[in-house]
Amino acid sequence: MTTLFFQSDVQDPYSIYQLMLDKNPIYWDEENKIWVIYSYESCIEILKNPDALIPVINLNNEQKLNEHALDILNNLARLSNEIQHTINREIANLLFSNLKSVDINTILYKLIKDDLIENEVDWVNSVCKKLPLLVVLKSFGFTANDCAFILDKIEILVKIMLPNKSKEEVKLINQVSERIFSIVEKQLLLFDFYKPLLNKISELEVLPLDEIKKITISNLIGLLIQSYDAGRGILSNSLLQIIKHKTFSNKATIQKSVIETLRFDPPIHNTRRIANADITLGKTTIKKGEKIMVVLAAANRDLQKFENESNFDIERFNNNENLTFGIGGHMCLAKHFSINLATEVLWFLFNEHKIITLLDNNIEYEPLINTRLPKTIWISIK
């Protein structure tokens, strides 16, 4: 049985996950030569295990990425291991601490107004693909022209995360990476961002200033990439669940709905690791060098952890223990930012407009393996 599938090809991936949780919670996929982990307990063990490393993408640069694209890819906290990860994570933390407050409601109002056609709007393409990215860009004071350029090119840039890229994709990534790298570098210099970094990083390991700058630029670009894909997914999937279950009575229920959506229908379904030593899970031994896929979305529906796991229940006491953002040293730093952003956006939407109607229940998804992202969500706003 193959365990890798495009989300666009599967109407209900959770039925597959449930079957595997019941029959093969730790499964060797012979066709794809990869261990697939479904149970909550085993996923936790892998995510916390220091010998389960993030796979290196494009190790020998066979795809011929240029200098700027390589800098971005090699310096992201979410893709690094050991001491490099510690340094990158400190820099990423400092970036988050420097996010300035922006008026999210004004951004949302304009995005909807610009694309509204007879009270109907495509929530994904008009809002979700733009708003999280715009919030980050405006938080760091990027100019209107720079925001417009990055918004226009972000769909190309996110392809840098693909393990396999076509020659045309690499060509476009190289072009876009160089320009965006330059834009972000200029903006961080205006912020005089590097002075507070130097003392912090020197406590961990001496690095030349040029290297610190590259890591910082790369991690801010990584935040832009996360804002586009994961941010889009949280806003999309949360809206669908809130409309379906009518959990929009106040801001608190909106926030609970966002957190339960991250468990019940998350945008990120799986993540990869590779064994740097033999790893034992119960009676199963994963040998050094073998690949691992951690199915976070399956762990989030594990009955051993979540009672009545197939029910959307915003009052479940342990909803915030979902694994969508990971756990341990590689837990996604954008967790609280993403939850708060989605809460603010969706509360404004439902508070400002009393009737929000989903116009098509047949949601199509992007042809991706690790993320479940709706292509479009047409809604009526009154």
Side-chain angles (χ1 to χ4, degrees):
M1 173 181 175
T2 182
T3 57
L4 305 185
F5 53 82
F6 288 118
Q7 296 292 334
S8 55
D9 296 338
V10 178
Q11 185 175 5
D12 180 17
Y14 301 103
S15 62
I16 299 173
Y17 301 154
Q18 193 59 60
L19 176 65
M20 298 306 288
L21 278 166
D22 292 341
K23 303 295 184 183
N24 297 288
I26 302 172
Y27 180 73
W28 171 249
D29 183 339
E30 178 64 27
E31 180 179 342
N32 296 293
K33 306 297 182 185
I34 190 169
W35 285 100
V36 188
I37 314 300
Y38 295 94
S39 74
Y40 187 94
E41 181 181 3
S42 296
C43 285
I44 288 278
E45 287 191 50
I46 293 297
L47 292 173
K48 287 186 173 182
N49 195 315
D51 287 322
L53 299 183
I54 302 288
V56 178
I57 299 176
N58 199 36
L59 180 61
N60 299 311
N61 197 24
E62 301 93 342
Q63 298 170 342
K64 295 183 170 56
L65 294 173
N66 66 13
E67 175 189 355
H68 297 94
L70 281 175
D71 280 337
I72 294 168
L73 198 56
N74 293 335
N75 287 309
L76 293 179
R78 63 196 275 199
L79 296 181
S80 55
N81 296 296
E82 300 173 344
I83 186 62
Q84 181 192 357
H85 176 73
T86 303
I87 294 170
N88 290 8
R89 192 173 177 86
E90 288 293 343
I91 292 175
N93 270 319
L94 194 55
L95 283 169
F96 271 103
S97 69
N98 277 269
L99 283 169
K100 307 300 182 186
S101 178
V102 298
D103 189 346
I104 295 172
N105 295 346
T106 299
I107 298 173
L108 175 59
Y109 178 82
K110 186 177 188 309
L111 290 175
I112 291 176
K113 182 181 176 183
D114 287 349
D115 288 355
L116 200 62
I117 304 171
E118 296 181 353
N119 293 324
E120 296 180 0
V121 68
D122 177 1
W123 178 249
V124 173
N125 289 290
S126 295
V127 176
C128 302
K129 287 185 177 182
K130 300 175 183 177
L131 188 142
L133 186 59
L134 276 173
V135 168
V136 174
L137 290 168
K138 290 179 180 292
S139 295
F140 281 98
F142 285 83
T143 67
N145 285 340
D146 287 343
C147 289
F149 178 83
I150 293 173
L151 273 175
D152 185 55
K153 302 300 182 183
I154 190 67
E155 195 164 0
I156 295 171
L157 183 65
V158 297
K159 295 183 186 298
I160 199 171
M161 307 303 294
L162 296 174
N164 300 306
K165 311 170 188 67
S166 68
K167 288 184 179 179
E168 183 61 25
E169 285 173 336
V170 170
K171 178 183 176 182
L172 292 172
I173 289 168
N174 285 338
Q175 292 171 356
V176 167
S177 297
E178 183 171 2
R179 176 73 186 280
I180 293 180
F181 196 95
S182 174
I183 290 172
V184 173
E185 181 177 35
K186 175 192 68 176
Q187 195 64 24
L188 287 176
L189 284 172
L190 288 175
F191 259 58
D192 198 16
F193 190 81
Y194 300 106
K195 286 183 180 178
L197 264 176
L198 293 176
N199 290 335
K200 186 66 178 176
I201 300 305
S202 64
E203 296 171 7
L204 300 168
E205 182 177 299
V206 177
L207 283 176
L209 180 58
D210 285 348
E211 191 64 26
I212 291 175
K213 287 182 178 180
K214 286 182 181 180
I215 296 172
T216 307
I217 294 164
S218 300
N219 274 284
L220 181 46
I221 293 173
L223 179 54
L224 300 180
I225 292 171
Q226 281 185 299
S227 299
Y228 178 78
D229 50 22
R232 162 192 172 185
I234 293 171
L235 284 175
S236 299
N237 295 1
S238 296
L239 177 72
L240 291 174
Q241 296 305 324
I242 290 170
I243 291 176
K244 180 178 180 180
H245 298 281
K246 297 180 172 56
T247 53
F248 48 74
S249 57
N250 55 55
K251 195 172 183 177
T253 61
I254 292 285
Q255 184 174 62
K256 290 178 181 179
S257 299
V258 170
I259 294 170
E260 170 65 335
T261 298
L262 288 169
R263 183 200 71 84
F264 184 81
D265 188 24
I268 308 301
H269 274 225
N270 57 70
T271 186
R272 304 293 183 97
R273 296 292 188 268
I274 188 166
N276 195 44
D278 287 359
I279 297 173
T280 300
L281 296 176
K283 297 181 180 180
T284 301
T285 298
I286 299 173
K287 296 179 181 178
K288 180 179 179 179
E290 290 183 329
K291 299 175 183 178
I292 307 166
M293 183 167 77
V294 184
V295 188
L296 307 170
N300 289 346
R301 296 280 193 105
D302 190 341
L303 181 58
Q304 300 303 313
K305 178 66 179 181
F306 299 101
E307 187 177 353
N308 298 319
E309 79 293 346
S310 296
N311 293 344
F312 185 86
D313 179 5
I314 66 172
E315 301 298 342
R316 190 190 312 274
F317 77 94
N318 62 344
N319 282 339
N320 61 0
E321 294 180 45
N322 69 76
L323 299 184
T324 298
F325 286 101
I327 197 169
H330 285 279
M331 185 179 75
C332 178
L333 295 173
K335 177 178 181 177
H336 299 296
F337 170 78
S338 300
I339 292 172
N340 291 336
L341 175 64
T343 300
E344 292 296 329
V345 169
L346 292 165
W347 170 237
F348 179 80
L349 177 71
F350 283 98
N351 191 48
E352 190 77 9
H353 306 280
K354 300 307 178 184
I355 302 177
I356 311 292
T357 306
L358 182 64
L359 297 177
D360 186 356
N361 288 308
N362 297 315
I363 304 298
E364 293 186 4
Y365 291 85
E366 299 286 359
L368 301 166
I369 291 176
N370 70 313
T371 52
R372 189 162 176 83
L373 302 175
K375 286 185 176 182
T376 61
I377 300 175
W378 278 96
I379 57 175
S380 170
I381 299 175
K382 295 180 182 178

